[in-house]
């Protein structure tokens, strides 16, 4: 399995509490912050909830 690089592109100010909690669960707090998360269905579910706020890149895992 690979990894995902997730970048917060838009502010969480004024967003519903559920979206703020989802961003925090992913490890995102500030605009421009990037986190590396595993590429799995749970992570993709969180990304779907924040699709309008984040940018996602796939990273190939090197052996």
């Amino acid at each position: 399995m690979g990894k995902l690089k997730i970048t917060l592109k838009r502010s969480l100010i004024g967003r519903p509490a559920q979206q703020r909690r989802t961003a925090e669960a992913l490890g995102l707090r500030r605009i421009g912050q990037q986190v590396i998360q595993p590429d799995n269905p749970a992570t993709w579910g969180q990304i779907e909830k924040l699709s309008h706020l984040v940018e996602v890149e796939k990273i190939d895992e090197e052996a």
Side-chain angles (χ1 to χ4, degrees):
M1 281 196 130
K3 301 270 185 183
L4 299 171
K5 180 165 67 170
I6 306 166
T7 306
L8 186 62
K9 289 294 189 176
R10 304 213 41 208
S11 175
L12 296 171
I13 295 173
R15 302 293 175 189
Q18 186 174 7
Q19 289 180 7
R20 290 178 186 222
R21 287 192 304 264
T22 303
E24 178 121 3
L26 283 170
L28 297 169
R29 294 171 186 247
R30 292 183 296 274
I31 295 174
Q33 184 178 6
Q34 296 178 338
V35 294
I36 305 295
Q37 294 287 342
D39 186 359
N40 61 37
T43 303
W44 279 107
Q46 292 175 321
I47 291 168
E48 284 295 316
K49 294 288 185 184
L50 301 176
S51 62
H52 56 292
L53 302 175
V54 298
E55 183 177 279
V56 180
E57 295 177 45
K58 288 192 177 197
I59 299 174
D60 292 327
E61 204 172 315
E62 295 180 17

